[in-house]
Amino acid sequence: MTALPNTMRGGPDDRGFFGLYGGRFVAETLMPLILELEAAYEAAKADPAYRAELDSLNTHYAGRPSPLYFAERLTEELGGARVYFKRDELNHTGSHKINNCLGQILLARRMGKTRIIAETGAGQHGVATATVAARFGLPCVVYMGATDVERQKPNVFRMRLLGAEIVPVTAGAGTLKDAMNEALRDWVTNVEDTYYLIGTAAGPHPYPEMVRDFQSVIGAEAREQMLDTEGRLPDAIVACIGGGSNAIGLFHPFLDDKDVAIYGIEAGGHGLDVENGHAASMTGGRPGVLHGNRTYLLQDDDGQILEGHSISAGLDYPGVGPEHSWLRDTGRVTYVPATDREALDAFQMLTRLEGIIPALEPAHALAHVIKLAPQMDKDQIILMNLCGRGDKDVFTVASALGMDI
Amino acid sequence: MSSRIDRRFAATRAEGRPALVTFLMSGDPDTETSLAIVKALPAAGADLIELGMPFSDPMADGPSIQLSGQRALRAGQTLKKTLAMVRAFREEDDETPIILMGYYNPIYSWGNESFLDDAREAGVDGLIIVDLPPEADDELCIPAMSRGINFIRLAAPTTDDRRLPAVLANTSGFVYYVSILGVTGSAAPDTTKVAEAVTRIKRHTILPVAVGFGVRTAEQAAAIGRTADGVVVGSALVNAVRDSLDADGRATEQTVPAVSALVAELAAGVRAARAEAAE
């Protein structure tokens, strides 16, 4: 490991790399578009009018800032550190995904694009994309793995209500990575008018940086709210990781706060010892190149990408955003898995103790909080990103618990 | 340094015709049949051979080549077996260029330097790696060139005159022009537009320009071959493999002849390209 830089928040470099990770590994047809997107994003960032419009939409449309909530009964039950939630599940559309979609749709409009495409796993990003496309009157096509279409019916219906066209993808295992392949194929075919609205902090540069910037509102607000409420920073912050957009959004504003321990929770599925039974790309994979960036990937000996498994459709991506890979190697963030079972237990615990039904994705983060809090002192603080609500998961949970609804 | 690719394009140019570049997926429908198909290509009229390295996530490919790759992977094809196929082909043919085409991750997973050494030793002449644009030349392109392996770059309709020099800078062997906006095998290219693009690229390079993505028939090959130095056919050939398989997806005695017959038709097409134009 090389010496850490003075700031952990300076990446990526001008070629889109966070250390070894990131970059722009795309077909030549897309390369000019990626460069155009980068230039457009740089220009938008420097434009106060763009910023003002985004801030206004965040406030009046998405409902930001989201509350910081002290989970009193959960804290009591765990008997250790004080547990706070950043309530991004209260945003419009029910997850953190809207933060990024609003930023990108304004960018698409600035670029004169007239058609929006997106990939989605759990459907949270698809719903958020369909929502902003409706709000701005742009046609929207969402690629979704056929398996996910089946297990996320409520979100599929919401997207259709919002006017989006859903294209079920049957290639591969019919999950998020296959949806992303198909979205990239659409983009390469419709380069002139189409904007690809990527939902996670992965893909070719500048997507990982751009998505992180839009999601960093989570960490920036939470940091300020924590200082207001407790007069100090938390001792530990925790978020779940699929591609890692909610996590990088929470983590990034805290990266230079050296006394804040940071935990990213991957999908441990049936357990890391079960072949193809988890989606923990950092604890169970190795670096490779997929979907335009170099990052930790689940892959076999021949470099073929594995499917990955998680009870949560939002976490079963076999890769992870490149900045997370870099944060892993530098040791700044500790990445650990939580299993399907642990996430289900956490889901039920939160529902009963706090009257909050979490999505299965942040239930993974909560599973780690449940392990961590009791090991900490009562005057210590844990902050967790509650990045999505669980309405979409009730069928999955019912089936996992053997209940009929 | 003259490579097999350089020599082959010089020869077809001397014959006053474009080269036929055939793409097939290594290991489709199985390694043994795939090798038999490839061995039969030169006699059927293929001038250069592109051999696909199957990948689980072929983002630039349409359904035909996606399915071909899936058949190969299901039958157990690996990059190691692909290099073994090249080695076996080279025992009988030391002249026909072989270009491996695919995606970066299986190579990266192997280890770039050691893969290039092994590929060179096996008799590989060139590489086309779809997801390595010139911005990533330090990854594989430069190390390949230093070993005498041609790194063939894709140029697309979106590659404008400003960008073209960067795309061509470290290209060797030939330039592969992607004739359509889209994935492999999706739409028929507009031959007038393709001719304009080929002419435009030739203003920037002395390298041969081959055209692919969407060329299916002998007629299309002939039309494109009027201006292009090479015509690449892929999806139509892997479809010929698919159509020859039995109900369980296994090779039949028709598999090799079906591919050879289509290659022969296409070879006649490229040979007619300039002859028709001269009439």
Side-chain angles (χ1 to χ4, degrees):
Chain A
M1 196 191 303
T2 51
L4 294 185
N6 290 331
T7 175
M8 302 292 289
R9 305 181 62 207
D13 66 20
D14 55 6
R15 294 169 67 213
F17 283 96
F18 303 89
L20 177 67
Y21 304 103
R24 288 179 287 223
F25 296 92
V26 296
E28 174 58 23
T29 310
L30 290 181
M31 200 61 209
L33 281 87
I34 300 276
L35 295 171
E36 183 197 351
L37 177 64
E38 185 186 3
Y41 179 55
E42 291 303 318
K45 263 200 299 195
D47 180 356
Y50 172 82
R51 190 68 243 175
E53 187 171 14
L54 180 56
D55 286 347
S56 170
L57 284 165
N58 271 339
T59 305
H60 303 289
Y61 190 67
R64 301 214 71 90
S66 66
L68 181 74
Y69 170 72
F70 172 54
E72 193 179 347
R73 294 194 66 217
L74 181 72
T75 297
E76 213 169 275
E77 172 78 18
L78 297 177
R82 295 161 65 78
V83 179
Y84 279 85
F85 295 134
K86 178 62 174 163
R87 301 283 310 270
D88 254 53
E89 102 280 14
L90 292 177
N91 296 338
H92 182 40
T93 75
S95 79
H96 69 291
K97 292 294 186 186
I98 191 80
N99 305 331
N100 167 51
C101 288
L102 283 170
Q104 287 200 53
I105 198 103
L106 291 181
L107 187 60
R109 202 183 52 173
R110 275 176 74 98
M111 294 174 75
K113 302 294 183 184
T114 55
R115 176 175 177 267
I116 303 296
I117 60 171
E119 85 295 337
T120 197
Q124 295 301 86
H125 174 58
V127 166
T129 304
T131 297
V132 298
R135 166 65 182 76
F136 287 91
L138 294 170
C140 174
V141 176
V142 178
Y143 290 92
M144 188 169 185
T147 307
D148 289 338
V149 169
E150 197 46 47
R151 61 177 169 172
Q152 300 290 337
K153 280 180 186 159
N155 273 345
V156 172
F157 183 61
R158 289 165 78 197
M159 287 185 272
R160 290 202 169 117
L161 282 175
L162 289 159
E165 180 192 342
I166 315 300
V167 181
V169 179
T170 52
T175 58
L176 181 54
K177 96 175 162 75
D178 310 296
M180 201 151 176
N181 290 335
E182 210 56 35
L184 284 163
R185 291 182 187 118
D186 179 313
W187 199 22
V188 92
T189 309
N190 300 291
V191 292
E192 303 295 341
D193 64 346
T194 296
Y195 184 92
Y196 181 15
L197 208 164
I198 294 184
T200 194
H205 177 65
Y207 283 104
E209 177 188 9
M210 193 162 66
V211 175
R212 175 200 73 198
D213 290 351
F214 294 134
Q215 293 294 2
S216 288
V217 67
I218 300 170
E221 281 177 10
R223 198 172 180 283
E224 200 174 308
Q225 288 166 323
M226 193 56 89
L227 288 171
D228 284 349
T229 310
E230 288 275 357
R232 66 182 188 88
L233 295 177
D235 299 282
I237 61 176
V238 183
C240 63
I241 309 264
S245 72
N246 94 83
I248 201 69
L250 176 69
F251 297 170
H252 199 257
F254 287 97
L255 288 179
D256 287 338
D257 298 315
K258 304 237 178 320
D259 295 332
V260 178
I262 307 183
Y263 298 92
I265 315 306
E266 297 194 283
H270 303 307
L272 257 59
D273 49 345
V274 180
E275 198 186 39
N276 238 349
H278 62 86
S281 37
M282 284 184 288
T283 28
R286 64 179 199 280
V289 174
L290 179 72
H291 294 153
N293 65 125
R294 177 162 34 221
T295 193
Y296 277 86
L297 297 171
L298 298 177
Q299 51 185 319
D300 69 12
D301 290 343
D302 190 40
Q304 307 296 336
I305 309 303
L306 301 172
E307 295 292 343
H309 158 83
S310 170
I311 190 170
S312 151
L315 299 184
D316 70 355
Y317 182 62
V320 64
E323 194 164 7
H324 286 296
S325 293
W326 178 73
L327 290 169
R328 174 202 185 274
D329 284 7
T330 56
R332 178 62 187 98
V333 178
T334 305
Y335 294 92
V336 291
T339 63
D340 287 354
R341 186 70 251 170
E342 291 168 332
L344 274 170
D345 290 346
F347 175 100
Q348 293 174 87
M349 187 184 220
L350 188 64
T351 304
R352 295 287 176 86
L353 284 177
E354 296 287 348
I356 297 172
I357 302 178
L360 280 170
E361 290 82 11
H364 285 74
L366 186 62
H368 192 69
V369 169
I370 291 169
K371 294 177 206 166
L372 193 62
Q375 301 166 20
M376 292 169 68
D377 294 336
K378 289 191 171 183
D379 60 355
Q380 290 190 296
I381 300 168
I382 298 178
L383 164 64
M384 187 198 107
N385 192 21
L386 190 47
C387 63
R389 67 177 188 226
D391 312 39
K392 69 182 175 68
D393 291 319
V394 293
F395 295 102
T396 307
V397 172
S399 138
L401 299 178
M403 297 197 280
D404 264 338
I405 50 174
Chain B
M1 180 167 38
S2 162
S3 68
R4 283 193 194 94
I5 296 175
D6 299 334
R7 290 195 294 275
R8 182 52 55 99
F9 273 106
T12 55
R13 191 172 281 172
E15 286 177 39
R17 65 172 179 91
L20 175 62
V21 185
T22 55
F23 172 96
L24 283 145
M25 186 64 75
S26 66
D28 176 23
D30 59 75
T31 308
E32 195 187 333
T33 310
S34 181
L35 179 59
I37 292 172
V38 172
K39 281 184 172 176
L41 289 172
D47 297 302
L48 292 90
I49 294 172
E50 274 180 26
L51 205 48
M53 300 174 280
F55 182 48
S56 52
D57 294 81
M59 283 138 339
D61 285 304
S64 296
I65 292 177
Q66 286 176 43
L67 290 171
S68 175
Q70 282 174 23
R71 288 193 296 270
L73 289 175
R74 214 175 301 126
Q77 190 69 5
T78 60
L79 193 47
K80 202 169 191 150
K81 289 185 182 175
T82 300
L83 286 191
M85 276 176 59
V86 176
R87 212 170 283 124
F89 178 87
R90 277 279 167 260
E91 285 169 11
E92 296 171 16
D93 184 326
D94 197 33
E95 288 305 317
T96 308
I98 293 195
I99 297 135
L100 297 184
M101 179 165 183
Y103 298 81
Y104 185 31
N105 198 55
I107 295 174
Y108 185 73
S109 168
W110 183 303
N112 290 353
E113 303 277 323
S114 106
F115 169 77
L116 289 169
D117 289 338
D118 292 343
R120 179 167 172 70
E121 180 273 321
V124 170
D125 302 290
L127 293 172
I128 303 174
I129 308 300
V130 178
D131 50 355
L132 282 178
E135 282 76 359
D137 269 357
D138 52 332
E139 300 266 338
L140 195 66
C141 173
I142 308 283
M145 281 168 69
S146 74
R147 286 166 174 80
I149 295 178
N150 290 141
F151 201 84
I152 293 130
R153 185 84 62 207
L154 301 169
T158 49
T159 314
D160 61 17
D161 277 323
R162 227 163 10 123
R163 182 169 166 77
L164 205 44
V167 169
L168 297 173
N170 291 321
T171 305
S172 57
F174 63 96
V175 181
Y176 187 138
Y177 180 66
V178 175
S179 64
I180 49 163
L181 288 174
V183 293
T184 51
S186 47
D190 176 335
T191 47
T192 316
K193 279 193 185 160
V194 168
E196 282 167 18
V198 169
T199 311
R200 180 166 72 87
I201 294 169
K202 281 173 170 287
R203 281 204 299 272
H204 293 266
T205 182
I206 54 163
L207 289 172
V209 179
V211 174
F213 278 50
V215 185
R216 292 171 174 280
T217 64
E219 291 72 30
Q220 285 173 328
I224 283 173
R226 275 182 207 125
T227 44
D229 302 297
V231 181
V232 190
V233 181
S235 295
L237 292 172
V238 304
N239 285 347
V241 173
R242 179 198 64 199
D243 296 343
S244 74
L245 303 178
D246 69 16
D248 299 321
R250 284 188 300 252
T252 64
E253 54 188 25
Q254 284 311 307
T255 302
V256 177
V259 176
S260 298
L262 182 53
V263 170
E265 259 180 57
L266 294 161
V270 298
R271 279 166 179 78
R274 311 276 168 81
E276 281 172 19
E279 276 168 16

